[in-house]
Amino acid sequence: GACEETISGLKRRCGGVTPLRPSYLSSRASGAAGARLVRAAALLAVAAALLALSLLPAARAQGACAAALHYDEVAFGYAREAYSLMYVNESYLSRLEALTSALGNASGAECVSLESNLSALAAAGPSMVAAAREHFALFVGSVSAAVAALSLGAAALLRWGRELAWRAWLRAHANYVVRLSGGGPARGGSPRDPDSYVTYAAGLLIVLAVGLFGVLGFQLFWRPGPFTVLALLNSQKEIGDYPTVVPPGSSALLYVMIKNEMNELELYQVRAFVSPATYGPLEAPAHSLMNQTMYVVVRPGQNVTVPLVLRAPSAPGQYKLVVLLYNYTGSGFEYMNLFNQLYFNVSG
């Protein structure tokens, strides 16, 4: 039948049937969607809380030395820039290596002391970088000048060397006597043809110029790799013979070896976790029963070995130790997609 609007305009009557208002339907739909959003937010909050609790020891350790770690990153940035300019301040770098290694196990007053030492080291960084730039400019300028001088010397010998050599030869042998013997002239005590000496000298200068240019290019542009090696070693610093069965709550000494083939100075972060064996390497942090964070500075082409204490859980079962490697990129630590894991049983 015909439809007519009520005076209020809030509902319609069509053939004696009053349909539901669209506004009522939309309010019910929005209410259901809101309830789902609330439940999803609650689940996310619970998951975040569990993750925070699992990482709490690591967060506390890093938070306690957060200021010291900041200054360490600043000091490392200066050291890396100087190293890229082929300049090594051994005193600065050795001190940075020692202070960085101490960050992993520091807490309380140790963090305050590290912060003071690292801030002083970072303050000395700009002057070291200035010296590195001056040293690099001097090195490149010296090699370039030597190459240019050798090249010009070789060109001059090839252009005017023969004439000068013959003039010198004639001046040196002006009093030689030509004797006639056997129907032809003979020169007594005559040296070798001067042309050959000029050719040899020019060739030597060219070889030296090319060699110096090659050395400069090798130092500036040749870069093997880049890659990093991560290895888990036993208590004897060897691969193999790892502990597979440990008593509850006991400790075992292991080592982590890092080899730097990244072509520049690197600051690495090593994070170790113990979790149930059922979780994957990247799931271990969220289910960690033990965690340890270490920092180490490694020079290009060298390797460093750092100790790692495996602490077994108190409950029997099958677990695994996971070691993840990060490197400092200038804005933070980035996972390098490198990990090692060791399965072990807790019993006894």
Side-chain angles (χ1 to χ4, degrees):
C3 296
E4 59 176 338
E5 292 285 339
T6 62
I7 295 176
S8 62
L10 296 177
K11 61 181 179 179
R12 230 174 20 159
R13 180 173 296 139
C14 300
V17 178
T18 303
L20 294 174
R21 290 165 47 200
S23 60
Y24 173 71
L25 291 175
S26 62
S27 64
R28 287 192 61 187
S30 61
R36 287 195 295 270
L37 287 175
V38 169
R39 286 196 296 270
L43 290 174
L44 288 175
V46 171
L50 291 174
L51 179 61
L53 287 175
S54 66
L55 298 178
L56 187 57
R60 284 176 180 169
Q62 294 179 15
C65 285
L69 180 59
H70 165 71
Y71 286 117
D72 185 75
E73 293 170 354
V74 174
F76 169 76
Y78 290 128
R80 171 183 271 181
E81 184 177 354
Y83 210 102
S84 68
L85 296 172
M86 299 183 293
Y87 182 84
V88 178
N89 185 323
E90 191 62 39
S91 175
Y92 185 99
L93 192 53
S94 298
R95 187 162 176 76
L96 176 64
E97 290 170 340
L99 293 172
T100 301
S101 299
L103 273 174
N105 299 318
S107 62
E110 296 173 328
C111 291
V112 176
S113 175
L114 285 171
E115 179 185 351
S116 175
N117 290 324
L118 285 167
S119 64
L121 193 65
S127 60
M128 180 187 64
V129 171
R133 290 172 179 168
E134 183 179 347
H135 175 270
F136 182 76
L138 180 62
F139 169 74
V140 174
S142 299
V143 174
S144 300
V147 170
L150 290 171
S151 302
L152 290 175
L157 281 175
L158 293 175
R159 174 64 181 83
W160 296 291
R162 290 186 174 86
E163 179 182 350
L164 294 175
W166 275 110
R167 286 187 179 184
W169 187 90
L170 290 174
R171 183 179 295 275
H173 300 86
N175 297 324
Y176 269 49
V177 177
V178 178
R179 296 193 308 254
L180 296 178
S181 175
R187 292 175 296 181
S190 173
R192 193 171 181 177
D193 189 344
D195 285 353
S196 60
Y197 293 104
V198 173
T199 303
Y200 295 151
L204 178 61
L205 293 180
I206 292 174
V207 168
L208 290 175
V210 172
L212 281 176
F213 186 78
V215 168
L216 181 62
F218 178 85
Q219 291 289 337
L220 295 180
F221 303 110
W222 186 77
R223 296 289 185 270
F227 61 91
T228 297
V229 178
L230 174 68
L232 185 63
L233 310 178
N234 61 23
S235 58
Q236 304 300 318
K237 298 184 179 181
E238 298 174 347
I239 294 179
D241 285 334
Y242 303 108
T244 56
V245 180
V246 295
S250 63
S251 298
L253 178 62
L254 299 171
Y255 291 91
V256 177
M257 189 277 290
I258 305 168
K259 183 173 178 59
N260 176 16
E261 292 292 349
M262 298 292 287
N263 305 317
E264 59 182 353
L265 195 67
E266 288 291 340
L267 170 60
Y268 293 103
Q269 181 191 63
V270 182
R271 302 182 66 188
F273 305 91
V274 170
S275 70
T278 54
Y279 296 107
L282 298 183
E283 296 174 316
H287 304 277
S288 176
L289 304 172
M290 179 222 81
N291 59 73
Q292 185 175 346
T293 303
M294 298 165 286
Y295 300 91
V296 59
V297 173
V298 187
R299 307 184 191 196
Q302 296 187 8
N303 59 275
V304 172
T305 302
V306 294
L308 169 63
V309 178
L310 168 62
R311 296 182 178 88
S314 57
Q318 188 177 27
Y319 300 90
K320 68 178 177 180
L321 169 69
V322 177
V323 178
L324 306 177
L325 187 64
Y326 300 74
N327 71 324
Y328 183 68
T329 61
S331 58
F333 288 94
E334 181 178 313
Y335 178 53
M336 300 186 70
N337 293 316
L338 286 175
F339 70 91
N340 263 275
Q341 55 185 5
L342 171 66
Y343 288 87
F344 64 93
N345 288 312
V346 175
S347 63

